[in-house]
Amino acid sequence: ALGVDTAGSERETRPEEYFKRGVHVKQSYTIMRGAEELYRFWRNFENLPRVMSHLESVHVLDDRRSHWVARAPKIAGGTVEWDAEIINDKPNALIAWRSLPGADVPNTGSIRFVPAPGDFGTEVHCTIEYLPPAGQIGRLVAKMFGQEPQQQVQEDLRNFKRIMEAGEIPTIQ
């Protein structure tokens, strides 16, 4: 009733679980760079903590798998970790992934790079689905700590745009 999964995380997450109790996030930005350059930056997953403030680290394990560590509210233990695998990779167009069994936060998603109309850069479309730790209670706790997923992904893509267009993320000193 509370949305807490007590079945354990060592099994593979079934797609219907994302529909029933998952958080679904879609966000897009147009970036004034070519798809090839954007894809190349994103495909090197170890770059991603530069644009995603909640990521502590990403370590590439091989050409399809990587290990991710993200910050979480202290009440949830401070960090969450998972291994992910690429399930679809179309150079300069698409990267899709899913977490592997044992993930603290089961997730799946994709990032697409689509030429913008009129040759005005590239539309970057990000879709993420995940199962919040402790079900809906975990989602409410994350909101209380300012970690609303839609806003977080929007800010991540905004940072990606800033790095790709300006070479840095502006900060206030």
Side-chain angles (χ1 to χ4, degrees):
L2 295 175
V4 177
D5 183 2
T6 58
S9 61
E10 293 303 316
R11 64 175 174 74
E12 189 163 337
T13 305
R14 296 181 313 271
E16 61 269 16
E17 291 179 73
Y18 290 106
F19 294 112
K20 289 180 184 175
R21 26 184 215 98
V23 174
H24 312 280
V25 179
K26 285 187 174 188
Q27 197 62 250
S28 63
Y29 258 85
T30 299
I31 301 176
M32 297 304 292
R33 291 286 184 258
E36 182 178 348
E37 181 181 358
L38 300 176
Y39 169 88
R40 188 173 45 248
F41 181 95
W42 198 280
R43 183 60 174 83
N44 180 359
F45 300 132
E46 292 179 1
N47 282 329
L48 297 182
R50 291 175 53 197
V51 298
M52 298 178 181
S53 61
H54 64 284
L55 277 183
E56 286 190 5
S57 64
V58 180
H59 295 289
V60 173
L61 303 173
D62 58 36
D63 65 327
R64 304 216 54 92
R65 295 179 308 121
S66 50
H67 181 78
W68 298 64
V69 179
R71 287 179 217 35
K74 297 274 189 242
I75 196 167
T79 61
V80 291
E81 298 186 36
W82 67 94
D83 288 338
E85 72 174 341
I86 295 172
I87 56 175
N88 196 352
D89 188 356
K90 295 181 180 178
N92 309 326
L94 169 74
I95 304 167
W97 69 88
R98 69 175 173 199
S99 60
L100 295 172
D104 289 341
V105 180
N107 65 88
T108 184
S110 67
I111 185 123
R112 292 184 301 121
F113 306 94
V114 180
D119 201 29
F120 288 106
T122 304
E123 293 176 0
V124 179
H125 301 271
C126 183
T127 303
I128 299 172
E129 296 179 329
Y130 70 93
L131 300 177
Q136 293 306 314
I137 291 174
R139 183 178 186 176
L140 293 173
V141 168
K143 273 187 178 182
M144 285 179 9
F145 284 89
Q147 298 188 4
E148 172 61 34
Q150 190 76 26
Q151 291 173 338
Q152 195 170 48
V153 172
Q154 181 179 17
E155 187 61 26
D156 292 344
L157 287 180
R158 184 179 297 129
N159 287 339
F160 182 43
K161 177 180 177 72
R162 291 170 176 158
I163 283 180
M164 298 311 296
E165 290 181 353
E168 64 183 349
I169 299 171
T171 58
I172 298 173
Q173 298 282 354

